[in-house]
């Protein structure tokens, strides 16, 4: 119907596309595809909003994202809409303010279509940990869509909106983007404000866009990035599309880490990846093997540090201030215990317990402090590579989308789905998933491009070469 947002706007202006009717069609399409379970809720008055944005577009005075339908992961605050984090404990909670990212989208006349299903409190790799049931992969409904931002990825892949926001603490944008075959970017930590994002692991969490083309993805990044006084970790830096124009991406030096091809990688993922490397070489791109020697410790460090942060962040859900409260208890401590026992799902409880354990006196030095040191070593590995290279290319995930239920009884196997993604969060650097082809079961394969902090311009302009000239998938 249209290949990107600029074309959509053109079609609205020339009268070929009626935004109001088109948005109505989208809502019925969401309804028809309710078996995918991608949405937790639909925003109020979406059609009315579409009609008023259409007027703005016709008047010639409108924002950069006018008429773009954007779905928002249900861990990000949209004023007066449910914010459940896909958890029983926040089932009826409605926030009183917009997250900064949402405020920025609205300022540019985007249409927030609804809140998307996800793993509870963004903890998971398959979107099977949601209190509202699993999300299905539209490519093959017996497969998971990846997690934790599964609903956001599926909403875009199934054509239920133009783009969406997800969050990535250890891979939750890149991995589902890979599993459903679209673009998904985890920005540099501090580039996009976290104000209004429900914290899972505050020193890892980032908000980023999903889209089916790079133009829309970079348009959203331009809007949501930049300084925010309400987030003390906001860097003050901003991504601009203009920066892409000054870059000759064909001159960038690319490395691919030799440690990423050991055991556990599906042969078709490896073959497709090596094919891309070959194509790049033949196109004259400078590309060679690099080393990230501490990557093998990234999953361990990630799960120690993030569970520690989660155990602290989730202490606030005690039935006193937010969401659900157990009304049968007769005294305070019992009420806390009952509320948390009933309100949190299995994986969230597991992580609170793990986090409490690694922070407890006697174990703090052995686990938490040691993991902090490993985090530094992982960051140093990246710094060493980026001294000589502009970008790192790797598979996004070791396998394509696995079957629903396949890993639910084995948390360790589930955690290993993040073996290529967690290190970017440990180091605070950006990563983009690019769809590069399909395996023998026709499931999408993704490739990840990483750069040094705040070099999203290099990632996106190089990805554009791949999108336009390499004919990957
Ligand atoms: N899958 C990882 C986890 O379970 C990452 C989650 C995320 O990035 N939010 O923690």
């Amino acid at each position: 119907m249209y290949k990107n947002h600029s074309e959509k706007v053109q079609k609205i202006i020339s009268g070929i596309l009626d935004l109001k009717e088109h948005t109505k069609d989208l809502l019925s399409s969401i309804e028809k595809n309710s078996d995918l379970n991608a949405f937790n809720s639909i925003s109020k008055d979406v059609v009315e909003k579409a009609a008023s944005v259409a007027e703005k577009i016709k008047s010639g005075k409108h924002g950069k994202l006018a008429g773009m339908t954007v779905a928002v992961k249900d861990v990000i605050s949209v004023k007066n809409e449910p914010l459940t984090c896909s958890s029983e404990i926040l089932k009826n909670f409605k926030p009183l303010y917009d997250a900064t990212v949402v405020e920025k989208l609205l300022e540019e006349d985007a249409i927030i279509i609804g809140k998307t299903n996800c793993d509870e409190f963004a903890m998971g790799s398959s979107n099977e940990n949601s209190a509202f049931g699993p999300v299905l992969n539209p490519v093959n409904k017996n497969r998971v869509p990846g997690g934790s931002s599964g609903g956001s990825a599926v909403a875009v892949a199934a054509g239920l909106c133009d783009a969406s926001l997800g969050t990535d603490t250890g891979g939750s944008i890149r991995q589902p983007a890979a599993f459903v075959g679209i673009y998904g970017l985890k920005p540099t930590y501090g580039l996009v404000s976290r104000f209004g994002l429900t914290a899972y692991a505050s020193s890892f969490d980032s908000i980023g866009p999903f889209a089916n083309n790079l133009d829309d993805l970079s348009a959203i990044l331009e809007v949501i990035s930049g300084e925010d006084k309400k987030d003390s970790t906001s860097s003050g830096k901003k991504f601009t599309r203009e920066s892409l124009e000054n870059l000759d991406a064909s001159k960038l030096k690319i490395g691919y880490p030799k440690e990423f091809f050991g055991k556990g990688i599906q042969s078709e993922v490896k073959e497709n990846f090596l094919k891309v490397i070959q194509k790049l070489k033949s196109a004259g791109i400078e590309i060679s093997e690099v080393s990230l020697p501490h990557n093998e410790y990234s999953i361990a460090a990630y799960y120690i540090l993030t569970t520690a942060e989660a155990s602290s962040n989730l202490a606030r859900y005690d039935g006193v201030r937010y969401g659900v409260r157990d009304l049968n208890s007769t005294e305070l401590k019992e009420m806390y215990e009952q509320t948390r026992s009933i309100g949190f799902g299995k994986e969230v409880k597991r992580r609170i317990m793990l986090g409490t354990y690694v922070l407890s006196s006697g174990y703090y030095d052995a686990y938490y402090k040691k993991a902090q040191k490993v985090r530094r070593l992982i960051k140093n590995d990246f710094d060493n590579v980026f001294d000589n290279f502009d970008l790192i290319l790797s598979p996004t995930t070791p396998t394509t989308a696995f079957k629903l239920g396949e890993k639910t009884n084995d948390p360790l196997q589930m955690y290993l789905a993040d073996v290529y993604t967690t290190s970017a969060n440990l180091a605070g650097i950006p990563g983009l998933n690019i769809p590069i082809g399909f395996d023998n079961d026709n499931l999408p394969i993704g490739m990840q491009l990483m750069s040094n902090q705040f070099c999203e311009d290099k990632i996106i302009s190089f990805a554009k070469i791949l999108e336009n000239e390499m004919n990957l998938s």
Side-chain angles (χ1 to χ4, degrees):
M1 188 178 286
Y2 46 84
K3 72 173 195 302
N4 58 25
H5 180 246
S6 325
E7 207 176 287
K8 183 177 186 180
V9 173
Q10 280 317 314
K11 289 198 163 168
I12 296 170
I13 292 172
S14 58
I16 301 174
L17 192 140
D18 181 327
L19 184 59
K20 189 175 164 191
E21 291 306 313
H22 174 69
T23 311
K24 269 191 200 161
D25 291 347
L26 268 188
L27 293 179
S28 38
S29 185
I30 292 175
E31 191 56 47
K32 269 192 225 124
N33 287 284
S34 58
D35 63 326
L36 294 174
N37 205 14
F39 283 86
N40 284 347
S41 57
I42 300 299
S43 308
K44 288 184 289 293
D45 310 325
V46 178
V47 176
E48 289 75 4
K49 280 178 198 149
S52 82
V53 171
E55 287 308 310
K56 275 191 168 181
I57 294 177
K58 281 177 201 143
S59 78
K61 267 191 167 167
H62 60 82
K64 288 180 193 165
L65 303 179
M68 184 188 275
T69 46
V70 183
V72 174
K73 184 177 181 180
D74 204 3
V75 290
I76 300 171
S77 185
V78 178
K79 190 175 169 178
N80 295 330
E81 297 292 343
L83 171 60
T84 70
C85 300
S86 292
S87 179
E88 284 291 334
I89 212 159
L90 284 176
K91 212 171 174 179
N92 303 315
F93 178 65
K94 283 190 183 163
L96 300 173
Y97 57 86
D98 283 323
T100 299
V101 287
V102 169
E103 210 173 81
K104 289 182 170 189
L105 291 176
L106 291 173
E107 269 166 23
E108 297 297 340
D109 295 326
I111 300 166
I112 309 288
I113 193 149
K115 306 293 294 287
T116 52
N117 199 347
C118 56
D119 282 303
E120 186 177 0
F121 286 101
M123 297 176 187
S125 308
S126 67
N127 219 134
E128 292 166 293
N129 296 335
S130 165
F132 307 126
V135 178
L136 310 185
N137 191 325
V139 181
N140 177 336
K141 291 182 186 169
N142 298 316
R143 304 280 171 156
V144 301
S148 61
S149 316
S152 291
V154 168
V156 173
L160 307 178
C161 56
D162 293 326
S164 61
L165 293 184
T167 63
D168 192 311
T169 304
S172 281
I173 292 177
R174 292 159 288 160
Q175 189 246 19
F179 278 12
V180 304
I182 59 171
Y183 291 99
L185 175 78
K186 172 232 174 290
T188 305
Y189 183 82
L191 183 69
V192 175
S193 166
R194 288 182 297 113
F195 179 77
L197 163 63
T198 313
Y200 155 23
S202 316
S203 77
F204 291 73
D205 299 338
S206 355
I207 299 177
F210 287 97
N212 47 32
N213 65 82
L214 288 166
D215 291 331
D216 291 359
L217 183 121
S218 31
I220 297 175
L221 185 64
E222 179 173 85
V223 168
I224 64 174
S225 66
E227 186 178 17
D228 183 15
K229 294 246 166 12
K230 295 182 194 143
D231 173 1
S232 62
T233 60
S234 162
S235 64
K237 295 213 164 52
K238 187 166 176 61
F239 165 82
T240 62
R241 280 179 285 177
E242 225 184 313
S243 64
L244 302 176
E245 287 156 24
N246 311 323
L247 243 161
D248 182 357
S250 65
K251 300 252 157 52
L252 297 176
K253 268 184 83 178
I254 320 292
Y256 57 99
K258 62 170 190 250
E259 290 81 6
F260 282 37
F261 302 95
K263 62 174 192 292
I265 185 166
Q266 187 182 326
S267 58
E268 294 136 289
V269 172
K270 187 170 170 179
E271 281 157 23
N272 266 271
F273 180 79
L274 293 176
K275 248 191 243 161
V276 175
I277 301 279
Q278 225 29 63
K279 277 191 182 173
L280 290 170
K281 280 188 180 156
S282 342
I285 304 283
E286 219 182 318
I287 180 159
S288 50
E289 202 172 76
V290 295
S291 177
L292 295 170
H294 297 94
N295 190 70
E296 63 175 302
Y297 306 110
S298 61
I299 292 272
Y302 169 83
Y303 277 97
I304 290 171
L305 296 172
T306 54
T307 55
E309 293 188 26
S311 71
S312 163
N313 276 328
L314 271 60
R316 72 191 68 170
Y317 306 105
D318 54 9
V320 177
R321 284 157 294 195
Y322 308 92
V324 170
R325 170 184 297 183
D326 174 60
L327 296 171
N328 299 322
S329 311
T330 48
E331 48 111 14
L332 186 65
K333 191 157 172 281
E334 186 193 353
M335 191 281 283
Y336 286 158
E337 278 175 11
Q338 281 306 319
T339 300
R340 289 168 69 82
S341 301
I342 299 162
F344 288 136
K346 201 163 126 198
E347 182 62 23
V348 173
K349 284 180 190 158
R350 179 172 13 242
R351 293 195 190 198
I352 292 173
M353 284 190 277
L354 272 172
T356 310
Y357 179 76
V358 298
L359 286 174
S360 59
S361 77
Y363 293 103
Y364 181 92
D365 284 356
Y367 294 108
Y368 183 76
K369 205 164 156 193
K370 199 164 183 182
Q372 288 285 32
K373 290 181 182 167
V374 173
R375 186 175 197 178
R376 166 52 61 184
L377 294 175
I378 288 168
K379 171 78 168 75
N380 289 349
D381 283 354
F382 279 114
D383 287 347
N384 289 338
V385 172
F386 291 130
D387 277 345
N388 299 306
F389 291 83
D390 299 289
L391 296 168
I392 296 176
L393 201 56
S394 81
T396 305
T397 54
T399 68
T400 53
F402 42 91
K403 293 195 179 82
L404 282 153
E406 191 179 321
K407 297 183 198 265
T408 34
N409 292 324
D410 190 346
L412 207 57
Q413 275 309 312
M414 190 70 93
Y415 295 173
L416 284 172
D418 302 314
V419 65
Y420 305 140
T421 47
T422 51
S423 53
N425 304 74
L426 285 155
I429 61 171
L432 170 74
N433 177 69
I434 303 172
I436 59 165
F438 298 88
D439 72 2
N440 296 337
D441 293 322
N442 274 324
L443 297 166
I445 298 175
M447 176 175 84
Q448 171 178 225
L449 256 182
M450 292 179 277
S451 74
N452 213 342
Q453 286 162 306
F454 305 109
C455 295
E456 278 80 358
D457 51 351
K458 288 186 184 174
I459 294 185
I460 294 171
S461 49
F462 192 78
K464 273 189 185 254
I465 299 189
L466 297 166
E467 186 182 49
N468 298 333
E469 290 160 38
M470 305 289 300
N471 205 3
L472 290 180
S473 33

